Amino acid sequence: MIKLKLLTAFALSAGVLSAAEPAEAIITTFTDRATFENTVGNFQIEDFNDVTSAVSYFSTPFDAGEFELSFSGNPGPFPSDEAAIEVTPQPVNESAWNVNGTHQASASVGPEITLPFIGTIASAGTVTFTFDTPIFAFGADFANISNAIRTTNLVLGNATFPIRDGISSSGFFGITSHTPFTEISIQNDSFFADGFGFDNVTSQPIPFEAETSVALALLGGYMGVKKFHQRQANG
């Protein structure tokens, strides 16, 4: 279920926003949800609570409304149906993957497998979020991710961000970007499979630094037009 939080009441057109986008990406990582939300301002949350029965996205992508959730690569030794939206208080097979006792998603991402003289026979397990419209921020609450000696990354384009940094395998991890993107992934980057849960997928379709400046520009333009008409009427 998508939940919206709006801190401003201005309608910003796509044309205005594209003009405000900087040329180079500046990416900031967050491990505290409150700080992330305060920085972003306007955001939407998918909590999966409107899913009425468990559904796998291992072979067929799951449409969550604002984004599509899909899986590719090596799932590791765990059953492939671990790439699923769970409706029980905790994932069916792994209680450690429980994020907060409510509906959530789970996944198992295995390592890339490369054999001598043969090459890669299995790519690294990857969970991909493909958004319907460009976003400028992404985050989620995780459980049991990158635990022990495992490393699982958030991947945006050619940039990777180890999710284990700062959250001790369970907690919030997110990023903000000054340039828009429509796809972001969670990918294994170790020799061992990593099974985990995630919930409250949070994204922001409005560039956080542009909200106030663009809104004020629109307001200033409106006031200028209003004064012009007043002078014309009094003229």
Side-chain angles (χ1 to χ4, degrees):
M1 178 184 297
I2 290 288
K3 297 179 179 178
L4 298 177
K5 181 176 181 181
L6 303 177
L7 299 186
T8 59
F10 296 97
L12 306 180
S13 70
V16 173
L17 291 182
S18 63
E21 294 165 9
E24 297 182 1
I26 301 174
I27 298 173
T28 305
T29 61
F30 295 81
T31 56
D32 180 77
R33 173 173 282 279
T35 303
F36 173 82
E37 291 182 353
N38 288 334
T39 300
V40 169
N42 299 339
F43 53 88
Q44 55 198 14
I45 299 178
E46 173 57 62
D47 58 15
F48 304 111
N49 285 341
D50 57 351
V51 179
T52 57
S53 60
V55 57
S56 173
Y57 61 90
F58 180 75
S59 299
T60 302
F62 172 76
D63 187 351
E66 299 296 326
F67 64 87
E68 186 177 79
L69 189 62
S70 60
F71 185 91
S72 62
N74 177 21
F78 297 102
S80 60
D81 62 2
E82 295 292 8
I85 311 301
E86 309 280 2
V87 299
T88 53
Q90 62 188 33
V92 174
N93 297 304
E94 294 290 340
S95 61
W97 301 4
N98 179 16
V99 177
N100 54 24
T102 64
H103 294 42
Q104 67 172 60
S106 59
S108 170
V109 291
E112 177 181 286
I113 300 177
T114 302
L115 299 180
F117 309 109
I118 296 177
T120 301
I121 62 172
S123 59
T126 304
V127 176
T128 300
F129 303 79
T130 304
F131 286 82
D132 297 337
T133 57
I135 62 172
F136 292 80
F138 174 89
D141 297 319
F142 293 94
N144 205 55
I145 195 167
S146 294
N147 61 318
I149 58 176
R150 299 170 178 84
T151 299
T152 297
N153 295 332
L154 196 63
V155 180
L156 178 59
N158 295 322
T160 60
F161 307 92
I163 297 177
R164 70 181 303 159
D165 291 351
I167 71 169
S168 300
S169 83
S170 294
F172 176 82
F173 190 84
I175 66 166
T176 59
S177 172
H178 283 64
T179 56
F181 57 94
T182 57
E183 185 174 291
I184 191 166
S185 302
I186 300 170
Q187 186 176 79
N188 185 294
D189 188 31
S190 61
F191 294 105
F192 303 94
D194 191 11
F196 55 90
F198 58 95
D199 198 4
N200 300 319
V201 177
T202 307
S203 58
Q204 192 233 35
I206 303 173
F208 56 92
E209 78 165 3
E211 292 167 11
T212 303
S213 59
V214 173
L216 289 175
L218 290 174
L219 181 60
Y222 167 77
M223 295 302 295
V225 171
K226 183 177 180 180
K227 289 181 179 180
F228 173 78
H229 285 301
Q230 287 176 342
R231 286 198 299 267
Q232 291 288 88
N234 296 331

